[in-house]
Amino acid sequence: MNGRDLRSVGVFTALAFALAWLLALPLWFGDGLAGPWFPLVATATMATPAIAALVVVFFVERPKHKAWKLGVWPLRPVRGLLGYGALGIFVSIALVLVALPVGALLGVYPADFANFSAFQQVLDEQAGAAGAAGIPIPIGALIAVQLAALPLAAFINLIPALGEELGWRGWLLPKLMPLGTLPALLVSGVIWGLWHAPLILLGYNYPDAPGWLGLAAMVGMCVLIGAVFGWLRLRSGSVWPAALAHAAFNGAGGSYLLFAKAGEHVDTTQATVLGWSGWIVPLALVVVLVATGQFSSAKHPSTPPSQKGRPPRTPGDGTGDR
């Protein structure tokens, strides 16, 4: 990387972090995650990487092809983008869900895959609060409906997720590619994880862990999941598949509550995709992608697609980006 690129990365990172901390100040000086401002702050914070990327692109670098630099354009080939978008949605959901049986096998996730007792307890409490005797629909059917609805979350959560992905994978990852693919993925993942500090240190995602452990766990998860999102960005040449994957990942995150055992505590530093047991499958996936050359043949183009002889590859077409 040259000095100009390093300056751009520095401005982007400083601005994204500063805005995240600024937005979190009402929580730090108020009631923390229990405060009424938390949902608004959490959603608004997701826009800070996009703001930082837009500032760098429009006021620091000012390239000719700004939308291409951010990965939002061109929306072609349509078939390829749709394929990678669908792949991102279902892979993200699968990574979240498969972490649960893995955690159960390792003894760190208290699972009840037969009776769904924790979910049943929640339903009973809600029915009681409403003055009803119970939920008339079988719990198995409710679980099936919940799982079937998970892909819809990718579209419901798309705009907030795009706020992050415009920064992390849309702009930052390609900018770091001169370091090499694996270093770029590692550095961007670490930056992404540390950016969560204002909320993680308040107990978000890891409510029972000391701040340093929660932040370290978040960085570890972000490096691995960020590599998967990064593969989608680099292979498709677009930020949209990564944004859909991120949105689906966030939407599926709470599904561990469906399969937990009633009365048991879930330690998210160990269980779910947030904890170490949930990193095993994403790590294996990244290793397979690296071993099969999926990253080495997916280098981000150095000039906009309109100036090149062919568009980004589509899933399964046997070609690679150069």
Side-chain angles (χ1 to χ4, degrees), residues 97-109 113 276-281:
L97 294 179
V98 77
L100 306 181
V102 171
L105 286 172
L106 294 172
V108 295
Y109 174 64
F113 295 119
W276 64 264
S277 66
W279 304 347
I280 295 173
V281 174

Side-chain angles (χ1 to χ4, degrees), residues 65-201:
H65 300 276
K66 295 180 176 62
W68 175 82
K69 276 286 187 181
L70 294 167
V72 299
W73 193 261
L75 298 177
R76 66 175 190 268
V78 174
R79 179 182 173 186
L81 285 179
L82 291 176
Y84 279 114
L87 185 63
I89 291 171
F90 288 103
V91 166
S92 289
I93 293 172
L95 292 178
V96 172
L97 294 179
V98 77
L100 306 181
V102 171
L105 286 172
L106 294 172
V108 295
Y109 174 64
D112 184 357
F113 295 119
N115 300 311
F116 317 109
S117 54
F119 187 48
Q120 182 69 65
Q121 185 179 57
V122 172
L123 293 177
D124 291 342
E125 290 173 354
Q126 291 176 345
I135 303 295
I137 303 173
I139 191 168
L142 290 176
I143 293 288
V145 170
Q146 293 279 339
L147 294 178
L150 288 180
L152 296 177
F155 302 96
I156 296 171
N157 298 328
L158 179 58
I159 297 305
L162 184 62
E164 287 198 45
E165 289 304 311
L166 275 177
W168 308 132
R169 260 65 61 177
W171 183 85
L172 179 62
L173 178 58
K175 182 60 65 174
L176 293 173
M177 286 298 286
L179 298 175
T181 303
L182 293 182
L185 291 168
L186 177 61
V187 172
S188 62
V190 170
I191 291 174
W192 181 29
L194 292 176
W195 167 84
H196 289 86
L199 299 183
I200 297 297
L201 295 177

